């Protein structure tokens, strides 16, 4: 049984991704800073006949990341797939964007990916197989997002991380790809303080070519595909999954 580890998997896209991998027969390691939500995802999977386990993992902590990866490897062997999903999208106008706020977002949205991937690479290389999938954003690959400059920058940085790592790990049998979601109905998007809010999310459907904003499952299924054998020759790419948002005229 292949093991997948997902960060920020208690809610939103991460939660749906955990459930989608379980349906494909993976052993699912659900990690998050949201303990109750993460445990609930694990219960849901296990009650449905799948295999899942929760670990508290704050992706800003090198020690936490190293310990979780070591524990998972001890119990289950090499991790096959890592989904670097944890992220925040804080709205901060530039005149209020302190060094601390910039660094905090980068520590989660970009550096946090590297911290989780790094300790897993030894055993993934030995297994000579594996897949890493990192969450970017339409705001990192297509659009600029006002009052979210640090977010746009970090998500653009994910593209560089994916390309560099894909090259470095290709001969070790490890694929590295990204997904850049458009507008997806999650707590992040529905935040009135930091993002579109409910009304904005409802309006967005009208200018997206497919006529609706995305659901977490729309992203999860593409992530599962990227990890699969069907995507065996696909590496170094960041795939936009946005209902046509990026190619639409409005
Ligand atoms: P979400 O619903 O807010 O879920 C993100 C999860 O990550 C939450 O459980 C969150 O906990 C957790 N998290 C925050 N800081 C963390 C840390 N230091 N360590 C570990 N986990 C942490 O977000 P989502 O919408 O599903 O987004 C998932 C990913 O897709 C993110 O990288 C996001 O930027 C990206 N994305 C989303 C959209 C969208 O429209 N939703 C669009 C483009 C890209 P808290 O709730 O406590 O913060």
């Amino acid at each position: 049984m292949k093991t997948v580890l997902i960060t920020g998997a208690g809610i939103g896209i991460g939660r749906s991704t955990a459930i989608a991998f379980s349906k494909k027969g993976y052993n699912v390691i659900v990690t998050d800073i949201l303990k109750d939500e993460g445990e609930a995802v694990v219960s849901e999977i296990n009650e449905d006949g799948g295999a899942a386990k929760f670990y508290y993992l704050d992706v800003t902590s090198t020690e936490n990341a190293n310990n979780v990866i070591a524990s998972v490897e001890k119990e289950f062997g090499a991790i096959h797939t890592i989904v670097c999903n944890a992220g925040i999208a804080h709205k901060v106008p530039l005149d209020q964007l302190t060094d601390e706020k910039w660094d905090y977002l980068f520590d989660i949205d970009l550096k946090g990916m590297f911290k989780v991937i790094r300790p897993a690479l030894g055993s993934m290389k030995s297994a000579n197989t594996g897949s890493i999938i990192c969450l970017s954003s339409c705001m990192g690959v297509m659009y600029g997002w006002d009052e979210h400059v640090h977010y746009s920058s970090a998500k653009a940085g994910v593209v560089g991380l994916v390309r560099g790592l894909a090259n470095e790990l290709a001969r070790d049998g490890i694929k590295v790809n990204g997904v850049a979601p458009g507008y997806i109905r999650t707590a992040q998007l529905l935040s009135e303080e930091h993002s579109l809010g409910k009304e904005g999310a409802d309006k967005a459907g009208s200018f997206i070519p497919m006529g609706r904003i995305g659901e977490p499952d729309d992203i999860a299924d593409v992530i599962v595909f990227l990890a699969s054998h069907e995507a065996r020759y696909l590496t170094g790419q960041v795939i936009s999954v946005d209902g046509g948002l990026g190619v639409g005229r409005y």
Side-chain angles (χ1 to χ4, degrees):
M1 190 186 256
K2 287 176 186 167
T3 295
V4 57
L5 182 145
I6 305 157
T7 65
I11 60 175
I13 293 169
R15 173 184 175 278
S16 288
T17 302
I19 292 166
F21 271 109
S22 174
K23 288 186 177 144
K24 293 286 181 189
Y26 283 71
N27 173 39
V28 185
I29 306 300
V30 174
T31 74
D32 208 319
I33 52 172
L34 300 178
K35 191 170 182 301
D36 292 348
E37 289 82 349
E39 296 278 17
V41 175
V42 164
S43 300
E44 194 177 334
I45 290 174
N46 288 336
E47 279 161 22
D48 211 28
K53 188 164 179 181
F54 175 76
Y55 287 85
Y56 178 90
L57 174 51
D58 178 344
V59 300
T60 65
S61 166
T62 300
E63 192 188 356
N64 195 177
N66 290 349
N67 288 340
V68 167
I69 299 295
S71 301
V72 171
E73 287 179 345
K74 195 168 170 214
E75 192 168 348
F76 303 108
I79 295 169
H80 180 272
T81 297
I82 300 176
V83 183
C84 297
N85 165 78
I88 58 167
H90 286 175
K91 177 179 179 179
V92 191
L94 199 63
D95 58 3
Q96 293 164 35
L97 188 52
T98 59
D99 289 1
E100 290 73 24
K101 286 180 182 169
W102 177 281
D103 289 345
Y104 180 64
L105 187 138
F106 261 71
D107 279 349
I108 298 171
D109 287 18
L110 186 54
K111 201 170 175 187
M113 296 187 170
F114 147 74
K115 286 193 182 191
V116 173
I117 295 165
R118 179 173 53 187
L121 283 180
S123 56
M124 287 176 85
K125 283 182 180 177
S126 300
N128 200 38
T129 181
S131 179
I132 296 168
I133 296 130
C134 299
L135 272 288
S136 178
S137 168
C138 57
M139 300 304 176
V141 302
M142 284 184 306
Y143 301 136
W145 199 4
D146 53 308
E147 300 184 332
H148 294 78
V149 170
H150 50 345
Y151 181 77
S152 279
S153 304
K155 292 299 185 182
V158 172
V159 178
L161 181 95
V162 164
R163 289 178 179 163
L165 265 184
N167 269 287
E168 192 163 334
L169 300 176
R171 304 257 167 149
D172 294 302
I174 302 167
K175 301 177 295 182
V176 186
N177 290 293
V179 172
Y183 296 138
I184 312 302
R185 194 184 304 279
T186 66
Q188 186 182 101
L189 185 84
L190 296 173
S191 167
E192 304 288 344
E193 186 187 356
H194 293 298
S195 190
L196 297 190
K198 191 179 172 314
E199 204 179 314
D202 290 344
K203 274 191 197 145
S206 64
F207 60 75
I208 293 170
M210 281 193 171
R212 64 172 178 90
I213 64 166
E215 299 299 329
D217 285 355
D218 293 325
I219 304 301
D221 287 344
V222 176
I223 293 172
V224 170
F225 164 71
L226 288 173
S228 73
H229 179 70
E230 283 67 27
R232 62 195 166 277
Y233 200 55
L234 205 171
T235 198
Q237 303 302 310
V238 179
I239 315 286
S240 288
V241 184
D242 63 3
L245 177 68
V247 295
R249 288 175 68 236
Y250 60 89

